Amino acid sequence: QGRDFSFDDCGRAFTCLPAEEPGAPAEALVCNLDSLLWTMTRRLCVGSPPGVWVCSTDMLLTVPSAPGIDWDGFQGVRVIAVPGSQAYARNHGVYLADEQGLVRNIIYKGTEAQIQQCAGPDGTVPLVCGVVFFSSDAAEQLLATHVIPPLDACTYLGLDSGAPPIQLSLFFDIVLCMAGGVTEEDFVKGGGDASVRSARSVLWTALRAFPLSMACIPGASYDYMTTSASDHIRSLTLLPGSASHLCFCKTAHSHVDQPSLLEDGSSVTNCLLEGAVQLAAGSVIQHCHLQGPLEIGPGCLLSGLATGSSLALQGCPLRDVILQGHHVRLRDLPCRVFTLTGCLDDWQSPAKEATYLNVPWAEFFHRTGIREGDLWDAEMPQRSRCLLNARLFPVLHTCEVLGLEDVLWLLAPAAVAGERLARWRAAWRMSWQELLPCLDKAAELAARRALFFLQGQRKVRRVLLGCQDSSLLPLARSAVHEGYHEALLGTLDEVASTAGDAGIAARALACIADVLGCMAQGEGGLRSGPAANREWASAFGRLESGDIAGGVRELAAERQKWMSRPALLVRAARHYEGAEQILIRKAVMSSCQFVTVGQAELPPLGHWVQVACPARLDLSGGWSDTPPITYEHGGAVVDVAVLVDGCRPIGTRVRRIREPELRLVSFSGMPQSEAAVELVCRELEHLQDYCQPHAPGALLKAAFICTQVVQFPSQKPLCAQLMESFGGGFEVHTWSKLPHGSGLGTSSILAGAVMASLYQAAGKSASTESLIHAVLHLEQKLTTGGGWQDQVGGLIPGIKIGRSRAQLPLRVEVEKIPVPSGFTQTLNDHLVLVYTGKTRLARNLLQDVVRNWYARLPSAVQNADALVGNAEECAQALRQGNLPLVGKCLDRYWQQKKCMAPGCEPLAVGRMMDALRPYVYGQCLAGAGGGGFLYVLTKDPQQKEALHQILAKTEGLGNFSIHSIKVDMGGFSMEVVGCDPK
């Protein structure tokens, strides 16, 4: 069904998608019982008592997600049946059951009358599908018989004791003895030879007392896996809506250059098809690497063909044939052998009555010139001569290399066949019966693995260069498990260095980090952590300078030194994520082109330019504004500019001073715990830590550089720059009355305020749109990352929705949301702000979010879609003035935040939200979550005091406080004031 798969230690393909995982089909899941038994039994055993499931493996079974088996009062043994047609039942087994569901008999290839007796009211019959459930008591009784002769001959104990082996049927030797309509005499006598009759007698004694019931599952289907090639092809090419419940993907784990050439009803699995490869309906290609132009007609199955076979296939019409390449080992000699048969051929029917390549043998002999003596020894009886033992397939030649053309000529017309006959006769040939023991299964599976990862490498290029939302993490895990990680890393290096796009290169580096993380196998420490080791500095420097190809090469060279143990692998993964962040910053800095700076009057020396800004509430859509999500997926965020306790809590003021220096003063925290940081910068070297977010004054230093008030780096000293351009230096004061980690957008809004005041104080002007993009640029310089919602929320007044498209350069467009008259006041009356007492750091959450997004985990992609959709719905609810619907959007938004960043709801905050839930339409933690402010939309107006009383009575909340908020329709204010030093 196109699920991602890996290989276990034995080389068998298995799926790694749990049956009930999101994304699994809810209506049915197709299981091959040999490898997916757990998937099916997980559904069947819901509600079943303790016991043992026993299953045969020669079928495909489709089981509904809710089979609805009634286990009340169950005891004994229960067989599982599926409904089927009476025509199908003529060649299979059916159960004869009474009205209570107790089995009376098992009819195998019965007469029309016997099958009709088994039919239900709808005309279908319960088919034997190979699944039986034994209760604990019945299973113990059955297992106890393994030491009783002659049943001990079914185990190694009996065989090692010299007993002749016997073969028993699950249904006709074990289950049948419990059928109510079967007598002991008929059951025992039907056993054939004496040993089987004796075994049946023991089983009758042990199991007869247990009732045998049947559960026929509506909606299930069963397909017996026969040796018929045409049946096999048909089972792999079923179309939706066909009679069977099975429906296979047209392409699975394959890279196809021109998928439009694959007709509906065809099937391609684990293949690399390059160029124009046309595949007709009803045909299958598996485990092949082919190059077009090729045309494969209907009814064909091609398997195990390498790219070198493509030339022989060109111009060769194929229809209703099975063409396979095999890895064969003849003692110590590995070789490749090709077999060719018709899809209608019967392997074991006598040649006189059978066909080869879908025509009678006599016609085949006449066309090709081949004689019976070429295929079978003279002493072999005519009735024993069949396709299975016909020496048709060339294996070795004394002086020539054999290839696909040495079997394809068997399809050729007589004129062409004559040229190949002598070469064919000169080759050592083998029959399929002789080839079968020589098949090199390890080499075959290795070739299939290699092909899987070769087309996996193509998938990597296709997904990354095409900016597709497909997850490469399952492929990375498989590559590491199978030892193909070096090839995958090489492909990712190639994509990163040649893409010519910083966004694509960043995702490729993130995928390399995932591969390294998988190689560590859960050891070596946490993925999130520092990434500034000096050994990686040269590569980082190349990326910073814009030399992506050179940086990727240096990263790859350094990586080789960090591959020896899990701790080094994890540290290398962290540094690749650090390199990825450099490229994200490069991509986001493309927004600079939307920053337009004009000239303005230079304020007088000593006059302050003062800016005061509101905080912001994000009502929906947050995280979709975060790079790289915002430019790879597209974002939409609904924001509201708000006054907190009646004032604009964020502000700055700047003035020019005579001294050629930068005086930086920062106040932060709640008024009662205000802290100040004072710095004086007189040299350019004092600004060099602007890109270290925790360095004192880093934001202000970055603002001077991003506004180009100061040129950095520069050969010209700082004092010379300041005197030449402004006749002196600058003094900057900033403040925030909000606690650190409030979630109200403080740092980004403050950055916007600083840049606005700096521009003005330097005699420049910038529009609000320019400031929004300038802040994006500043935060990339500062290396804090972050999106655009905060500055949109705090710099633009009122209620609005910001949007960004899935493209670079990154541009933010803002639409003010018109609301009904009086609705703004309604919001003011119903919005309450609660400080949780818990601080949060978005950076701690950001790394995990970006990692999950780059991995394109389905949950992350779906959640990004949901965030944008919810933002648009919230905007519409605000336009309508629908307060309950706005509250619903807030609640949904909080669930989406928790999905995007698991762990962002502290226990105390959960208790707080539970206590408030009956009194609010909706509630959400502001910003990324994890702490800070909780905002609630109350059902009743003016509920500040009431909520305080509710929370005061709730245990385990710690120090919280209630604040009033009001929508700020004026936005940030900027004014030039006098020389008052205060």
Side-chain angles (χ1 to χ4, degrees), residues 506-557:
R507 185 178 175 190
L509 296 184
C511 290
I512 292 175
D514 280 338
V515 174
L516 297 174
C518 291
M519 291 175 66
Q521 298 182 343
E523 300 179 9
L526 298 175
R527 279 284 298 274
S528 297
N533 189 289
R534 293 179 181 178
E535 300 297 322
W536 300 83
S538 177
F540 283 13
R542 283 188 175 272
L543 296 177
E544 292 280 11
S545 69
D547 181 7
I548 295 178
V552 171
R553 283 194 301 271
E554 287 203 21
L555 286 171

Side-chain angles (χ1 to χ4, degrees), residues 840-906:
R840 68 109 194 98
L841 295 174
R843 190 179 178 87
N844 295 344
L845 304 173
L846 181 61
Q847 286 178 306
D848 290 338
V849 171
V850 172
R851 186 179 302 128
N852 292 341
W853 171 255
Y854 268 140
R856 289 305 194 275
L857 298 184
S859 59
V861 175
Q862 293 164 10
N863 201 41
D865 291 338
L867 283 164
V868 173
N870 190 52
E872 298 293 349
E873 185 174 338
C874 183
Q876 186 59 27
L878 289 164
R879 292 186 192 99
Q880 297 170 356
N882 188 332
L883 209 61
L885 185 54
V886 172
K888 183 179 178 181
C889 292
L890 296 186
D891 280 342
R892 189 185 302 132
Y893 181 32
W894 179 234
Q895 297 306 316
Q896 292 164 352
K897 283 186 179 182
K898 291 196 290 185
C899 177
M900 191 63 83
C904 67
E905 182 180 276

Side-chain angles (χ1 to χ4, degrees), residues 832 942-951 962:
V832 177
Q942 307 295 339
Q943 291 295 296
K944 179 180 174 181
E945 295 302 324
L947 296 189
H948 189 279
Q949 293 177 14
I950 293 167
L951 295 178
I962 306 288

Side-chain angles (χ1 to χ4, degrees), residues 201-406:
S201 179
V202 172
L203 290 168
W204 179 278
T205 302
L207 300 176
R208 180 59 182 181
F210 293 101
L212 179 64
S213 59
M214 179 190 74
C216 189
I217 305 175
S221 70
Y222 156 84
D223 285 75
Y224 182 67
M225 298 171 68
T226 71
T227 58
S228 165
S230 58
D231 285 351
H232 182 59
I233 292 173
R234 186 171 59 252
S235 73
L236 293 175
T237 56
L238 292 168
L239 288 166
S242 60
S244 172
H245 290 251
L246 299 176
C247 179
F248 286 84
C249 294
K250 185 190 293 185
T251 58
H253 311 292
S254 298
H255 175 87
V256 182
D257 277 354
Q258 300 185 37
S260 62
L261 297 181
L262 308 181
E263 296 183 9
D264 290 340
S266 63
S267 174
V268 177
T269 302
N270 194 34
C271 288
L272 180 54
L273 304 184
E274 300 174 300
V277 179
Q278 187 168 340
L279 186 62
S283 284
V284 177
I285 305 180
Q286 296 179 334
H287 317 298
C288 291
H289 182 183
L290 300 175
Q291 293 176 330
L294 294 177
E295 186 173 346
I296 313 299
C300 296
L301 188 150
L302 276 61
S303 178
L305 304 182
T307 182
S309 303
S310 301
L311 188 61
L313 286 171
Q314 291 174 8
C316 179
L318 296 182
R319 185 186 183 95
D320 296 326
V321 295
I322 313 299
L323 182 58
Q324 296 174 283
H326 308 278
H327 290 265
V328 173
R329 181 169 289 275
L330 305 172
R331 296 201 176 179
D332 295 328
L333 177 65
C335 58
R336 291 278 286 155
V337 176
F338 298 94
T339 59
L340 177 68
T341 58
C343 71
L344 301 177
D345 297 341
D346 188 296
W347 286 90
Q348 295 180 312
S349 295
K352 294 295 184 183
E353 306 166 8
T355 63
Y356 178 56
L357 296 177
N358 307 314
V359 299
W361 279 96
E363 182 179 332
F364 169 75
F365 291 147
H366 180 265
R367 177 171 55 79
T368 60
I370 293 175
R371 299 186 295 267
E372 285 195 51
D374 295 323
L375 304 179
W376 298 287
D377 294 333
E379 60 270 19
M380 180 175 286
Q382 286 287 337
R383 295 295 298 176
S384 299
R385 298 180 180 185
C386 61
L387 174 58
L388 187 63
N389 53 35
R391 289 190 292 270
L392 277 162
F393 311 118
V395 177
L396 293 172
H397 196 281
T398 54
C399 56
E400 296 187 57
V401 177
L402 299 175
L404 187 60
E405 60 274 10
D406 291 291

Side-chain angles (χ1 to χ4, degrees), residues 49 75 89 102 144 212 218 240 316 360 401 429 471 494 529 602 632 643 683 688 723 844 893 903 935:
Q75 56 182 337
L102 296 175
L212 179 64
C316 179
V401 177
R429 304 181 311 279
S471 178
E494 177 198 340
L602 192 68
E632 291 185 349
L643 306 177
E683 307 290 340
Q688 64 185 2
M723 291 303 297
N844 295 344
Y893 181 32
Y935 59 92

Side-chain angles (χ1 to χ4, degrees), residues 722-784:
L722 294 173
M723 291 303 297
E724 183 177 307
S725 299
F726 306 104
F730 290 87
E731 182 175 354
V732 182
H733 292 191
T734 63
W735 63 88
S736 168
K737 297 180 181 179
L738 300 172
H740 183 60
S742 67
L744 298 181
T746 305
S747 59
S748 298
I749 297 171
L750 183 60
V754 170
M755 296 186 85
S757 57
L758 264 181
Y759 277 132
Q760 186 70 28
K764 302 178 183 180
S765 64
S767 66
T768 305
E769 180 186 4
S770 292
L771 287 174
I772 289 169
H773 294 91
V775 172
L776 270 174
H777 178 236
L778 180 145
E779 291 188 327
Q780 303 314 308
K781 285 281 190 182
L782 192 60
T783 71
T784 54

